[in-house]
Amino acid sequence: MKRMITIAFMMTVVVMMAHAQGALKRVYNETIDPMTQIDEGLQKAKAEGKFVICQVGGNWCPWCLRFADFVEKDTAVNKAVNDNFVYLHVNYNPRKKEGDASVEKVVLDENGNVLHIQDSSFLEQGKGYDEQKTLRFLKNWTPKAVKQ
């Protein structure tokens, strides 16, 4: 009987963990034209004196969803993003495009010039993202930092 309870408990924990992984909010709009989305983001950035971060990925990408969740929940990262950037989730469907499925963060200035492409793997820690590494990346590419 004790063994059955232990097995039932372990199965419950596994199911809860699997559900927690799948519970990340889907943030990519798969119906919007990415270029229109970027153009609108650039207009907003120019009006607000910010740059644009395009998180290129999709709802199929657990790392993309983890980063979006991290940005939303980490207070310091959220503030750095909201104070300096228009943050876009640019959908990329690797089945519809030729070439490698590359998931990156692309920083654009207010005119749409690519300033930096950040390899996401350098910001990761374990099954998530590292706050200090992410803040360093963000602070290096703010309008204030770039225009000095």
Side-chain angles (χ1 to χ4, degrees), residues 55 61-68 105 124-129:
Q55 182 180 325
C61 171
W63 281 102
C64 302
L65 301 181
R66 286 177 192 152
F67 189 78
K105 283 98 180 98
E124 297 169 7
Q125 177 181 332
K127 293 274 186 189
Y129 287 88

Side-chain angles (χ1 to χ4, degrees), residues 10-24:
M10 289 175 58
M11 288 178 64
T12 302
V13 169
V14 168
V15 168
M16 288 172 50
M17 288 174 58
H19 177 57
Q21 281 288 346
L24 292 171

Side-chain angles (χ1 to χ4, degrees), residues 49-135:
K50 297 180 178 182
F51 286 167
V52 175
I53 293 182
C54 299
Q55 182 180 325
V56 180
N59 293 321
W60 50 267
C61 171
W63 281 102
C64 302
L65 301 181
R66 286 177 192 152
F67 189 78
D69 188 62
F70 174 68
V71 169
E72 184 178 318
K73 293 180 179 173
D74 186 286
T75 307
V77 172
N78 185 280
K79 180 172 176 27
V81 169
N82 289 328
D83 288 353
N84 298 288
F85 303 97
V86 173
Y87 178 45
L88 304 176
H89 299 97
V90 179
N91 188 59
Y92 173 81
N93 185 339
R95 291 185 216 141
K96 292 184 178 179
K97 311 282 188 217
E98 291 186 26
D100 295 333
S102 182
V103 179
E104 307 296 341
K105 283 98 180 98
V106 180
V107 180
L108 306 174
D109 70 10
E110 68 276 10
N111 297 311
N113 298 308
V114 176
L115 299 175
H116 180 68
I117 299 173
Q118 179 63 48
D119 182 335
S120 296
S121 66
F122 293 114
L123 306 177
E124 297 169 7
Q125 177 181 332
K127 293 274 186 189
Y129 287 88
D130 181 89
E131 180 185 65
Q132 293 308 310
K133 291 176 186 176
T134 303
L135 287 172

